[in-house]
């Protein structure tokens, strides 16, 4: 049994993920900001833990992560002001990476998005720019750590039923629709695949079973 902590535990992907992991026999702690969400989290089999990571120190986050084997970042400001987007998607995410290192939690899974990076191409005046810029910075920081990291880049998230079928490295043209359920399944899969450490895996809904799609290419 592995002990996994999910930051942003009330998000739709996180709720799918915690249900999957607990069904597989893992112990899951889900960090949430709003105590009112504890009931929804507990219904998945996870243990809710209330912590406002946006306003928490690295040390406080480390205390919440200590004793776990892996951390999954699935939090986000969810739009709104650029200031809060940077505060959560960049600054708090980076603090969580430092906290994982401080707490001795070596495995770190980042849920990012398809096309993230310095070359995201979003104009500065666009409402999506702050998110794209924040995620690019957080992902790049993670790559520079000594954590056993994996960055997941799902396409545009949908609430379609999960099929367990994806396409890896689909390119940035055309439809990138990706079900939240499939995204959670990919996160669960990489947690069981230490050889995915050091990889950025971009994907969308497709035709290959997840296990086959995640195999390294020659």
């Amino acid at each position: 049994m592995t002990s996994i902590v999910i930051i942003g535990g009330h998000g739709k992907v996180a709720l799918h993920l915690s249900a999957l992991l607990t069904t597989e026999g893992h112990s899951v702690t889900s960090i949430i900001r709003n105590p009112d969400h504890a009931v929804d989290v507990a219904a998945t089999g996870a243990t809710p833990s209330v912590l406002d990571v946006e306003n928490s120190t690295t040390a406080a986050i480390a205390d919440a992560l200590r004793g776990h084997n892996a951390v999954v970042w699935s939090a986000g400001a969810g739009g709104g002001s650029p200031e809060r987007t940077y505060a959560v998607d960049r600054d708090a995410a980076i603090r969580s990476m430092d906290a994982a290192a401080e707490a001795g939690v070596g495995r770190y899974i980042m849920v990012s998005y398809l096309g993230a990076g310095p070359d995201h191409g979003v104009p500065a005046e666009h409402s999506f720019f702050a998110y794209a810029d924040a995620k690019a910075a957080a992902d790049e920081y993670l790559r520079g750590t000594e954590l056993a990291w994996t960055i997941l880049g799902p396409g545009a998230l949908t609430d379609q039923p999960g099929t367990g079928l994806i396409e890896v490295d689909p390119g940035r043209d055309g439809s990138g629709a990706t079900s939240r359920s499939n995204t959670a399944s990919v996160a669960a899969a990489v947690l069981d695949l230490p050889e995915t450490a050091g990889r950025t895996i971009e994907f969308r809904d497709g035709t290959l079973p997840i296990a086959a799609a995640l195999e390294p290419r020659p």
Side-chain angles (χ1 to χ4, degrees):
M1 182 179 71
T2 300
S3 179
I4 299 158
V5 58
I6 302 173
I7 302 175
H10 193 254
K12 292 181 179 180
V13 170
L15 291 171
H16 281 296
L17 177 59
S18 57
L20 276 174
L21 293 173
T22 56
T23 298
E24 292 174 359
H26 299 293
S27 171
V28 179
T29 300
S30 284
I31 293 177
I32 53 177
R33 180 178 59 86
N34 187 343
D36 292 342
H37 294 159
V39 172
D40 294 338
V41 167
T44 70
T47 300
S49 175
V50 178
L51 181 70
D52 180 4
V53 294
E54 178 184 355
N55 297 298
S56 294
T57 63
T58 300
I61 299 172
D63 286 342
L65 303 185
R66 196 166 281 111
H68 295 86
N69 304 114
V71 56
V72 178
W73 176 275
S74 191
S81 74
E83 292 78 14
R84 184 156 189 268
T85 297
Y86 283 114
V88 176
D89 293 281
R90 182 190 64 192
D91 301 341
I94 288 172
R95 286 198 303 276
S96 78
M97 299 165 201
D98 293 340
E102 183 177 317
V105 184
R107 189 75 168 109
Y108 191 107
I109 311 300
M110 166 61 74
V111 180
S112 189
Y113 73 94
L114 177 62
D119 58 345
H120 55 70
V122 180
E125 65 275 10
H126 195 283
S127 60
F128 190 70
F129 177 82
Y131 178 77
D133 196 44
K135 293 299 280 186
D139 291 357
E140 194 60 25
Y141 188 90
L142 180 57
R143 292 186 183 102
T145 70
E146 295 184 1
L147 298 170
W149 56 266
T150 303
I151 297 172
L152 302 181
L157 296 173
T158 74
D159 288 321
Q160 293 300 309
T163 60
L165 303 172
I166 63 170
E167 176 188 0
V168 170
D169 297 329
R172 301 179 184 182
D173 299 326
S175 171
T178 314
S179 76
R180 288 178 169 87
S181 178
N182 276 350
T183 301
S185 294
V186 172
V190 300
L191 281 165
D192 281 335
L193 295 170
E195 61 269 28
T196 60
R199 287 181 61 190
T200 298
I201 302 170
E202 295 191 321
F203 63 96
R204 64 182 178 190
D205 292 343
T207 58
L208 269 181
I210 288 171
L214 292 179
E215 290 180 358
R217 298 179 180 182

